[in-house]
Structure formats: C-alpha cells, structure tokens
Amino acid sequence: MTDTEPQDVAPGVKKPGRPPKRTWKDLTPQERTGSILTGLIQLTLAAIAWTDLARRPAKYVRGPKPLWALAITINFVGPVSYFIFGRLPDRAAQRRKRRAKR
C-alpha cells in the first residue's frame, strides 16, 4: 500500500495527518467575532473598490475595468491590489494635492 491510498481506520479512531473539521458551534466567541469582523472588513473593502471602479472613468484605470471588477472578488488581495495598482490619479485629485502643499 502506498501513502496516497486511503487507509481503513476503525470507527472512533482519529485519522492521521488532518485535524478534525470544526463547525461554527465549535468556535469560541472570540473566534466567531474575529470571523465576522474579517468578513465585514472584506465586504466593505470590496464594496468601496467596486464603487470607485464604477465611478472612475476608464482612462484613470490601469487595464480593463471588467478585469478589475473580477479581481476585486479575490479576498483582501483584490481590493487592495486595485487601490495600489489599478487606479491612476485623476486631475482633480492632483489639483487638491497641489493646493494642500501651498
């Protein structure tokens, strides 16, 4: 028998190699709160990124807008990548920066 073949394990005996799956009921209140907060932060970042992408003219976005809309769906990486790499500064933002420096 090789390592990749399933091995028969008697009922009630823990299978080697993997911890048992945990359900929502198995989580502590702190873990539940952390999961909820993480999800809310992720959804908020995605909503802000999609709103910005929808309102921003295509000439101020690096690459095709549909591709960025799809990329934003990828956990935290998508929205953060859009904000760092996908947006080009528009002229109004540049004027505000110049005025603030005076």
Side-chain angles (χ1 to χ4, degrees):
M1 202 185 281
T2 65
D3 291 337
T4 58
E5 293 179 12
Q7 298 175 356
D8 293 337
V9 179
V13 176
K14 183 180 171 188
K15 291 183 180 181
R18 263 194 211 182
K21 289 187 178 182
R22 295 174 67 190
T23 63
W24 185 255
K25 293 177 185 177
D26 296 333
L27 299 178
T28 66
Q30 292 84 7
E31 290 171 327
R32 289 181 186 183
T33 302
S35 294
I36 291 170
L37 287 176
T38 302
L40 286 174
I41 292 168
Q42 181 177 335
L43 289 174
T44 302
L45 271 174
I48 292 169
W50 277 318
T51 301
D52 182 81
L53 181 64
R55 292 180 179 174
R56 186 172 293 270
K59 65 181 181 179
Y60 295 119
V61 176
R62 285 189 182 101
K65 288 176 80 169
L67 185 63
W68 280 113
L70 184 63
I72 290 170
T73 64
I74 303 171
N75 291 337
F76 291 100
V77 176
V80 171
S81 296
Y82 168 71
F83 288 124
I84 294 173
F85 304 112
R87 298 174 4 149
L88 293 172
D90 58 7
R91 292 183 184 198
Q94 290 173 347
R95 279 192 297 256
R96 285 191 297 269
K97 282 184 182 180
R98 277 188 249 135
R99 287 181 192 156
K101 288 182 181 179
R102 291 181 188 177

